[in-house]
Amino acid sequence: MQVIDNLETIRAQASGWRLAGESICVVPTMGALHAGHMSLVEIARAHADRVVAWIFVNPKQFENPEDLAKYPSHMEADIAKLQAAGVDALYAPTPDQIYPEGFATTVSIAGVSEGLCGAGRPGHFDGVATVVTKIFTQTQADCATFGEKDYQQLQVVKRLVADLNLPIDILPCETVRETDGLALSSRNERLSDTDRAIAPALHGALQAASARLRDGEAPGPVIERAKAEIEAAGFTRVEYLELRAARDLAPFKDLDEPARLLVAAHLGKVRLIDNIPV
Ligand code: PAF
């Protein structure tokens, strides 16, 4: 596996593959790879001749400097995992490759970026959309994998691709969970032992709420009850818990169309997100 840290080399490599008629799938990540990321790699391998993994902790999507400073990094272990998984190239650019001096462009997506995580993390999805646009153009990928764990991000990226007619297929991948239901996340390693024991209550509350909704209970009381359950389990604060249309995150109307329950909640200093279909 090649480890590439600059734009010229990834461009040359990607152009070479394309000239040889080979397709490319990119797996965008911020590193600290876990089984969820590796499932994205597997899906990428099944869809293209060449797989490029991307690792870059994108400063523009962190509205909280402490969260950025504490974001885990395990580059050596990540390289070993990607190599073992048969990835062709890891592109881990330096910040100046992505945001050279004078960089002044922001890609901003209205509607689907608003509310949910967009409300609690101002500027976050502008940062995501800007770097994702660069990921797509720099790697010249035919397809890209995105986890459903970041469900709003997935919808933002789909909107970006549709609106800008980007020639890339977005491959959504199901959330990978611990056996107790906790969605895998690089942030889980920042949980204390006590908080790690509490954390699965987030998924538990979503599952119970989804079952109640399917049984015909009214959304308002179901959501209030789920929030109370999460706080009673020991979470410090529920930032949001909302029912939205699964297709585009529009406000929920009825269960005739697929819906999604989405939550963000704080446990100690760690902010966890999760979502499930209803
Ligand atoms: O989901 C992530 O890890 C990041 O938001 C992404 C897509 C790599 C952009 O920095």
Side-chain angles (χ1 to χ4, degrees), residues 28-30 54 56 58 61 124 128 131-132 135 146 150 153:
T29 82
M30 296 202 296
W54 160 282
F56 178 66
N58 173 31
Q61 68 186 77
H124 169 67
V128 170
V131 83
V132 163
I135 295 172
F146 285 86
D150 296 295
Q153 169 173 282

Side-chain angles (χ1 to χ4, degrees), residues 152-166:
Q152 189 175 13
Q153 169 173 282
L154 173 62
Q155 304 312 317
V156 167
V157 170
K158 282 184 173 172
R159 190 75 257 164
L160 166 74
V161 167
D163 288 357
L164 298 187
N165 311 107
L166 300 178

